[in-house]
Amino acid sequence: AEVIIIAFDLADIQTLEHTKQWLKDAMKDNDPGLSSIFLVGSKKDLLSQAECERTEADAMKIATEMQAEYWSVSSKTGENVREFFFRVAALAFEASLLKDLKKKDCSSAKIGEGSTICFERATTEHLENTPNSTTGCC
């Protein structure tokens, strides 16, 4: 998978405690280091500011252990939902494109019927040798 999203309920701390096992389960079918991992706390709107800060502090510690990017969202209010999905889409697109370029050993790719995307060879070589790097695509 290009992306693994582990979601938990900010209003139910027990769900946060289960996230490590959920990631472990997801990693059974994926190679470590090849997927972008996200830990997402949902239902942010149900918590007071103080409760949210306490839960998010715990979530950020777990996200660091998971080597995941942490996001808190509220589907009800829409807070961070659009931004989160744009981030996921950008990283998945970038990873897929770079994988395709590496597989074909080339520095450009045509996306559907659209334009051709080109990378300088030095950029792609640098990315291959730099752990957890991105091109800053989006």
Side-chain angles (χ1 to χ4, degrees):
E2 299 291 343
V3 175
I4 296 172
I5 300 170
I6 306 294
F8 71 98
D9 183 343
L10 282 164
D12 182 356
I13 196 70
Q14 289 181 345
T15 61
L16 178 59
E17 294 168 6
H18 294 293
T19 58
K20 289 181 187 179
Q21 182 59 48
W22 296 336
L23 177 60
K24 192 175 184 180
D25 293 344
M27 293 310 294
K28 288 178 186 174
D29 298 325
N30 294 285
D31 294 325
L34 296 181
S35 300
S36 296
I37 302 170
F38 293 87
L39 179 62
V40 181
S42 64
K43 301 183 183 178
K44 185 176 182 177
D45 55 280
L46 297 180
L47 301 173
S48 69
Q49 183 68 26
E51 289 173 315
C52 189
E53 288 173 6
R54 281 192 303 272
T55 304
E56 285 188 327
D58 292 339
M60 285 188 260
K61 287 177 189 171
I62 290 174
T64 299
E65 292 171 18
M66 293 177 161
Q67 296 180 334
E69 201 172 297
Y70 175 72
W71 285 75
S72 63
V73 300
S74 170
S75 297
K76 183 176 182 178
T77 67
E79 183 179 353
N80 289 332
V81 173
R82 184 173 189 238
E83 295 85 350
F84 170 67
F85 282 107
F86 279 171
R87 175 75 174 152
V88 169
L91 288 178
F93 175 76
E94 180 181 61
S96 179
L97 182 62
L98 289 173
K99 229 186 266 183
D100 194 41
L101 290 173
K102 185 176 181 181
K103 182 172 55 176
K104 293 179 182 175
D105 193 33
C106 62
S107 59
S108 65
K110 187 167 175 107
I111 307 302
E113 298 298 317
S115 301
T116 300
I117 296 176
C118 299
F119 287 95
E120 293 179 25
R121 178 56 58 189
T123 302
T124 56
E125 288 171 2
H126 172 71
L127 287 171
E128 291 169 1
N129 297 321
T130 306
N132 298 325
S133 65
T134 64
T135 60
C137 165
C138 303

